[in-house]
Amino acid sequence: MLAAFTFNTAENLPVGLLELISKSLRVSLSAVGLLVTGYGLTVAVASLPLAHLTRAVPRRHVLTALLTVLVVSSLVAALATSYGLLLAARLLTALAQTLFWAVMGPVAVGLFAREVRGRVVGALSVAGSLALVLGVPAGTWLGRQSDWQVPLAMLAVLGLFSLVTIAVLLPTSPAEEEPAAYGSGPDIRRFGTVLATGTLSATGAFTGYTYLVTFLGDVSGFSPSAVSALFVAFGVACLAGVSITGAVLDRFPRAALTTAVATQAAGMLGLYAAGAHPVAAVVFLALMGGALGPVFMATQNEMLRCAPGRTDLALAANSGCYNVGIAAGAAIGGVILPLADVRGTFLAGGLLTAGACAVLMGGRLLWRGRGHVA
């Protein structure tokens, strides 16, 4: 759980430090946004190949290696004096995270009975969501009080704690003998629908979320200190969302995913339409935050159920596709930003998320129709 918290903080921290990094390294906001895009592209490209290459390696060895990479790359990022070196360090962290989520899920849920695995996924997602509640806000505050490199160095410290704990305590067993190594209800059509939904929803979310600091300052009129507080509120909403969703994930796995995607669309479109009003901005920001974590959590849970083969490969595919969406969203937002105001990024993001909801509902109707014919 600490490793999940650290990786998610590392992934999202540049969003809170966007303007600080831009001024320090003398690059544009769009260029700093590419730190998110490059991260997502690395995960997208490397997920399946790395999962395939390490499929026979004991999970304990894989996780310790990944956490070692996290520690080293975080230190390199903290010492970076140029944009190129910072980008290289980010890509190294992304390579580690690429495999982390694919490996960690089956290892954790395999310790429990199938009927409670949704709650286990929920617990892990709570840890990841705490990155938005504590990690990113704390890192943003720390960066504003000192330098943006300081919170990056703290990631190395947290990663080291996780590395030592897993290296000492996690049992070693062959990967193919893990209890959750294969899906509980293989379904290739459902697998494809969930992948498409996750990709589109991530694209929509990060089209706007990458530039959230700019939106809250320029459109909603919040001060820098208020923006930091709103990041905390966003994270609290995300934590509440994954906590609630995790409690019902075993009983209503499909409804949980549909609800999360629809809520994200409503939050983003609401920010576009009413984000200039501070009270409305807070309400719709909470809706978006309450959905962002549950979407990925619910797709991960579906992979453990409908994976047509090994769950680690299915989770790698899901993570890869989700990060294709992250990269595409950050890139789309970067294109929109100089052409229109930042509100346009949330309009585009909301429409893309609505498209994800349509794909999910269409896939469900197709699945039911074929089942009826059969």
Side-chain angles (χ1 to χ4, degrees), residues 79-178:
L79 297 172
T81 56
S82 68
Y83 176 79
L85 185 58
L86 177 59
L87 178 60
R90 286 279 298 170
L91 298 184
L92 189 59
T93 306
L95 283 174
Q97 184 166 340
T98 292
L99 195 54
F100 173 77
W101 284 106
V103 172
M104 181 270 289
V107 170
V109 301
L111 300 173
F112 298 86
R114 286 185 177 181
E115 57 268 20
V116 298
R117 287 179 178 177
R119 276 181 275 174
V120 177
V121 173
L124 295 172
S125 296
V126 166
S129 297
L130 281 172
L132 297 177
V133 179
L134 296 176
V136 174
T140 301
W141 178 84
L142 187 58
R144 292 184 185 279
Q145 299 302 312
S146 52
D147 293 308
W148 60 266
Q149 294 95 335
V150 175
L152 297 180
M154 292 301 300
L155 296 175
V157 175
L158 295 177
L160 186 60
F161 276 109
S162 301
L163 169 61
V164 172
T165 303
I166 287 177
V168 172
L169 298 179
L170 189 68
T172 302
S173 60
E176 66 275 5
E177 295 180 9
E178 293 283 346

Side-chain angles (χ1 to χ4, degrees), residues 261 353-363:
V261 175
T353 308
C357 196
V359 167
L360 186 59
M361 296 301 294

